């Protein structure tokens, strides 16, 4: 079993930055070989994929965050990070970390992932 715990959320003004982290517990060696991703869900909206990274370091980003967000993985610390710059009010959401074994381009479909964290809130004010 793999447990995921997010941290780093908070409130920021538009144009600001936040860095989210997701630490894996349990069979952490397995996360080295898993695809991991960040998803977000705003009130009244469906969960959407933000960014994902596979075991080889290949990344995939939603069009809405390309050029502003950067996903990275630190296997030594069993940590997944999301650096978010130039934040916009529409980035406001609960952000979730996810992991699973996948193939091909790192997917941004939530149904692909079976391991999830509890989420961390990001609020961007205008």
């Amino acid at each position: 079993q793999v447990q995921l715990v997010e941290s780093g959320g908070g409130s920021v003004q538009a144009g600001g930055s936040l860095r989210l982290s997701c630490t894996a517990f349990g069979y952490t060696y397995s996360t080295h070989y898993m695809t991991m991703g960040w998803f977000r869900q705003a009130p009244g909206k469906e969960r959407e994929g933000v960014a994902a990274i596979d075991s080889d370091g290949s990344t995939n980003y939603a069009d809405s965050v390309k050029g502003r967000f950067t996903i990275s993985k630190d296997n030594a610390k069993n940590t997944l990070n999301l650096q978010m710059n130039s934040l916009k009010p529409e980035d406001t959401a609960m952000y979730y970390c996810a992991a699973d074994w996948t193939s091909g381009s790192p997917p941004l479909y939530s149904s692909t992932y079976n391991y999830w964290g509890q989420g961390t809130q990001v609020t961007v004010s205008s």
Side-chain angles (χ1 to χ4, degrees), residues 44-86:
K45 294 188 177 181
E46 293 186 355
R47 189 170 296 189
E48 63 172 350
V50 174
I53 184 169
D54 68 13
S55 59
D56 293 328
S58 296
T59 58
N60 191 14
Y61 293 92
D63 289 341
S64 59
V65 306
K66 282 181 181 176
R68 300 188 298 124
F69 291 11
T70 302
I71 190 171
S72 62
K73 201 175 175 189
D74 187 338
N75 286 333
K77 297 181 179 179
N78 301 313
T79 300
L80 177 74
N81 300 302
L82 184 69
Q83 178 65 42
M84 305 187 294
N85 298 328
S86 303

Side-chain angles (χ1 to χ4, degrees), residues 3 10-11 46 58-59 70 77 92 99 106 110 116 122:
Q3 292 83 43
S11 298
E46 293 186 355
S58 296
T59 58
T70 302
K77 297 181 179 179
T92 295
S110 59
W116 291 86
V122 171

